């Protein structure tokens, strides 16, 4: 659930910007962190920092590129225990879900979307049209933009950091959506589907005999 940001967490890693756009999750081949880092200098002019929390196969390459370009407003935090993640979510002005432009990724709903919604963080989902973009748009929890598109990503970030009312609207909608996806609710929905499937497979006469027995 949403919680107040802890400014001490930002101070510990050297973030002094008023706005923080975060990527929290695995830094692997499925995600496009390079495009986010490519607009870091433009974001710095908007008093905005980039926070990347997590590890993965691509993180070393991204770190090297950031050092080479001297992007001082891009900050990395190593993978964190699950219990600590709400603290890092809470400092984000917006959360980025940057998927690569791959057909197979059109069918996925990254877990980080649910986590961001539950924390009341507006989302920017960069992906080809598919499950992820449809979800964020249907929920009204953020913006959906084309993947691997630095211009679209910069515009989306600027839209959110400049419009507090829009952020609140997306945050509230995200929390409402996340409530629908608790494990208990999903388990109940799964059981309902299973019962319907069983009812369709078991002949009515067999069900009647079972009940009478």
């Amino acid at each position: 659930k949403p919680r107040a940001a802890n400014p001490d967490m930002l101070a510990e890693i050297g973030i002094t910007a008023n706005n923080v756009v975060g990527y929290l999750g695995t830094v692997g081949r499925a995600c496009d962190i390079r495009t986010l880092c490519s607009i870091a200098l433009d974001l710095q002019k908007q008093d905005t920092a980039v926070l990347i929390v997590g590890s993965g196969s691509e993180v070393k390459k991204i770190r090297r590129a950031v050092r080479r370009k001297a992007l001082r407003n891009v900050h990395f935090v190593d993978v964190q225990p699950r219990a600590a993640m709400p603290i890092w979510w809470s400092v984000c002005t917006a959360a980025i879900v940057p998927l690569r432009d791959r057909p197979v990724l059109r069918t996925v709903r990254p877990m980080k979307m649910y986590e961001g919604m539950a924390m009341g963080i507006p989302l920017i989902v960069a992906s080809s049209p598919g499950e992820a973009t449809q979800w964020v748009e249907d929920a009204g929890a953020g913006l959906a933009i084309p993947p691997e598109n630095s211009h679209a990503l910069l515009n989306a970030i600027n839209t959110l950091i400049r419009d507090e009312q829009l952020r609140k609207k997306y945050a509230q909608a995200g929390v409402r959506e996340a409530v629908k996806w608790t494990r208990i609710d999903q388990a109940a929905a799964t059981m309902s589907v299973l019962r319907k499937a069983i009812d369709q497979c078991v002949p009515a006469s067999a069900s009647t005999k079972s009940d009478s027995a």
Side-chain angles (χ1 to χ4, degrees):
K1 64 180 180 179
R3 62 188 296 173
N6 183 350
D8 293 337
M9 299 296 294
L10 296 179
E12 286 180 11
I13 59 175
I15 292 181
T16 58
N18 285 329
N19 308 295
V20 178
V21 293
Y23 173 82
L24 290 78
T26 302
V27 186
R29 295 181 180 179
C31 64
D32 175 36
I33 303 299
R34 293 184 182 277
T35 299
L36 176 58
C37 291
S38 74
I39 62 172
L41 290 178
D42 293 297
L43 293 176
Q44 192 170 19
K45 297 174 185 177
Q46 305 293 335
D47 197 20
T48 300
V50 175
L51 173 64
I52 300 170
V53 181
S55 62
S57 60
E58 299 294 300
V59 72
K60 289 183 179 180
K61 295 178 184 178
I62 301 298
R63 283 178 178 266
R64 285 197 297 268
V66 167
R67 286 195 298 268
R68 186 170 62 252
K69 297 177 181 179
L71 302 176
R72 298 178 180 176
N73 65 323
V74 179
H75 303 264
F76 294 87
V77 174
D78 290 334
V79 63
Q80 298 289 297
R82 179 169 293 276
M85 292 307 293
I87 299 174
W88 293 106
W89 280 108
S90 71
V91 301
C92 296
T93 309
I96 315 298
V97 183
L99 297 177
R100 299 291 299 275
D101 189 8
R102 301 288 186 272
V104 68
L105 297 178
R106 297 175 184 177
T107 62
V108 303
R109 288 186 175 189
M111 184 64 181
K112 62 182 68 67
M113 291 182 64
Y114 168 77
E115 294 172 349
M117 289 181 188
M119 287 295 300
I121 309 299
L123 302 180
I124 297 174
V125 178
S127 172
S128 298
E131 287 288 329
T133 56
Q134 190 69 48
W135 191 17
V136 75
E137 290 179 333
D138 288 349
L143 301 171
I145 62 172
E148 302 184 45
N149 186 317
S150 58
H151 182 71
L153 182 57
L154 181 60
N155 282 344
I157 292 172
N158 284 336
T159 294
L160 289 183
I161 65 176
R162 292 171 180 171
D163 194 333
E164 183 178 2
Q165 292 304 313
L166 184 61
R167 294 200 306 272
K168 288 182 178 179
K169 174 185 174 181
Y170 287 153
Q172 292 168 356
V175 171
R176 289 195 299 269
E177 178 68 13
V179 171
K180 304 175 186 177
W181 294 87
T182 64
R183 290 184 179 181
I184 294 175
D185 291 333
Q186 288 305 294
T190 300
M191 289 301 297
S192 177
V193 171
L194 289 174
R195 289 193 188 99
K196 290 179 181 179
I198 292 171
D199 289 343
Q200 291 173 356
C201 292
V202 178
S205 58
S207 177
T208 302
K209 292 180 180 177
S210 176
D211 291 341
S212 63

